[in-house]
């Protein structure tokens, strides 16, 4: 185990008999495709890593030697232009599997926006396992297809949706990835800044803040904290996200 300064990466090499079978997030990731009796082999191919907030653990253009399965926290995914300008293309949370590059290099960068835990898999090691575990290969294909669908949805969002529809789509997407709580409404975490949300949605910070304030004033959401939102009217939110604003007027 390697432990450095508070901003350093913490690396823990897993053992074949480690805790994959007791992982709380296995059911939300590609690892769920592996039967319990075969988890020791999966664990032997994994390295647990933890990254401090602000650490870039995938760099666009670098050799794509590894896959990353997020087990804790949230990362922002972004692309960078030669002059340094960036565009956030998504946010990856628990259960997201990163690094399914079709080329030899990563096509995006990933930065922890809060403390992030991952299981890192060597591309070479994992690919050799696919022949023995066709269910895992199928799950990875489904993940790649879902990424394509998400990219198409993002094109629609940026090209045709209004500001209200964009913010509603963002909140609805976060809601889909969140386990429902027992409190009134549905709570979601927003660890990203308003500026990062605005960048992702192609809006200004002022527009994002104004739209969230309007949703709150209308009783559609509650904001108990800066990084938390409770969705009080999920049906209304999904309808606005789908572009049915006129039907709700």
């Amino acid at each position: 185990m390697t432990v450095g300064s508070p901003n350093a990466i913490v690396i823990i090499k897993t053992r074949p008999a480690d805790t994959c079978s007791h992982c709380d997030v296995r059911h939300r990731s590609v690892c769920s495709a592996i039967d319990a009796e075969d988890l020791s082999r999966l664990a032997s191919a994994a390295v647990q890593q933890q990254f401090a907030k602000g650490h870039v653990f995938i760099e666009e253009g670098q050799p794509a030697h590894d896959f990353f399965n997020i087990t804790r926290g949230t990362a922002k995914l972004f692309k960078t232009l030669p002059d340094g300008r960036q565009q956030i293309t998504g946010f990856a949370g628990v259960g997201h599997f990163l690094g399914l590059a079709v080329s030899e290099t990563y096509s995006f960068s990933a930065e922890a926006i809060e403390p992030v835990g991952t299981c890192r898999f060597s591309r070479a090691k994992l690919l050799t396992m696919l022949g023995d575990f066709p269910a895992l290969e199928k799950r990875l294909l489904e993940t790649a297809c879902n990424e394509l669908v998400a990219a198409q949805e993002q094109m629609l969002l940026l090209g045709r949706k209004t500001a209200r529809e964009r913010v509603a789509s963002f909140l609805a997407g976060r809601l889909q990835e969140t386990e429902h709580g027992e409190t009134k409404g549905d709570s979601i975490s927003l660890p990203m800044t308003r500026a990062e949300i605005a960048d992702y949605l192609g809006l200004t910070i002022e527009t994002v803040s104004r739209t969230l304030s309007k949703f709150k004033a209308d009783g559609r959401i509650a904001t108990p904290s800066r990084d938390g939102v409770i969705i009080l009217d999920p049906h209304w939110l999904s309808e606005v996200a789908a572009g049915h604003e006129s039907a709700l007027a």
Side-chain angles (χ1 to χ4, degrees), residues 185-206:
D186 296 278
S187 299
I188 58 177
S189 173
L190 297 180
M192 61 288 296
T193 66
R194 295 292 187 265
E196 289 169 335
I197 295 174
D199 188 315
Y200 173 65
L201 297 178
L203 301 171
T204 65
I205 301 175
E206 293 76 16

Side-chain angles (χ1 to χ4, degrees), residues 17-241:
D18 212 340
T19 57
C20 278
S21 59
H22 304 293
C23 178
D24 293 334
V25 300
R26 185 167 75 89
H27 68 287
R28 299 175 62 181
S29 72
V30 297
C31 303
S32 61
I34 300 292
D35 293 332
E37 58 268 23
D38 295 316
L39 284 177
S40 61
R41 185 174 174 189
L42 182 68
S44 67
V47 174
Q48 293 181 353
Q49 291 184 302
Q50 298 181 31
F51 304 101
K53 178 180 178 180
H55 185 86
V56 177
F57 59 95
I58 293 178
E59 293 190 46
E60 181 180 0
Q62 292 300 304
H65 293 319
D66 300 296
F67 299 113
F68 295 84
N69 189 31
I70 296 184
T71 58
R72 180 172 69 96
T74 307
K76 70 175 181 181
L77 313 180
F78 62 94
K79 294 182 70 66
T80 305
L81 290 174
D83 62 4
R85 286 178 293 164
Q86 294 182 356
Q87 172 65 52
I88 295 176
T89 59
F91 298 97
V94 172
H96 282 251
F97 197 79
L98 305 178
L100 290 174
V102 296
S103 64
E104 296 299 315
T105 59
Y106 294 116
S107 61
F108 62 92
S109 297
E111 176 184 329
I113 59 175
E114 59 181 339
V116 165
T118 71
C119 281
R120 176 171 60 84
F121 297 93
S122 161
R123 176 180 296 270
K125 287 184 179 180
L126 194 60
L127 291 180
T128 60
M129 294 176 60
L130 296 183
D132 296 331
F133 300 107
L136 178 59
E137 183 176 20
K138 179 181 178 182
R139 184 63 183 273
L140 289 174
L141 178 60
E142 291 173 350
T143 298
C145 291
N146 288 338
E147 289 182 359
L148 177 59
V149 172
Q152 293 173 332
E153 289 293 331
Q154 183 68 1
M155 290 171 62
L156 174 63
L157 180 147
L158 294 175
R160 287 292 179 263
K161 289 190 175 183
T162 66
R164 279 166 52 90
E165 291 168 347
R166 295 184 195 189
V167 175
S169 296
F170 175 72
L171 295 178
R174 296 291 295 178
L175 185 59
Q176 286 183 340
E177 296 183 1
T178 302
E179 294 182 354
H180 297 337
E182 296 180 355
T183 57
K184 180 181 179 182
D186 296 278
S187 299
I188 58 177
S189 173
L190 297 180
M192 61 288 296
T193 66
R194 295 292 187 265
E196 289 169 335
I197 295 174
D199 188 315
Y200 173 65
L201 297 178
L203 301 171
T204 65
I205 301 175
E206 293 76 16
T207 298
V208 169
S209 297
R210 185 168 58 250
T211 303
L212 289 173
S213 296
K214 185 64 167 61
F215 287 178
K216 181 179 179 180
D218 291 343
R220 308 300 186 179
I221 66 173
T223 53
S225 64
R226 176 70 179 177
D227 59 355
V229 171
I230 298 176
I231 307 302
L232 301 175
D233 194 341
H235 174 71
W236 177 89
L237 188 72
S238 63
E239 288 295 293
V240 173

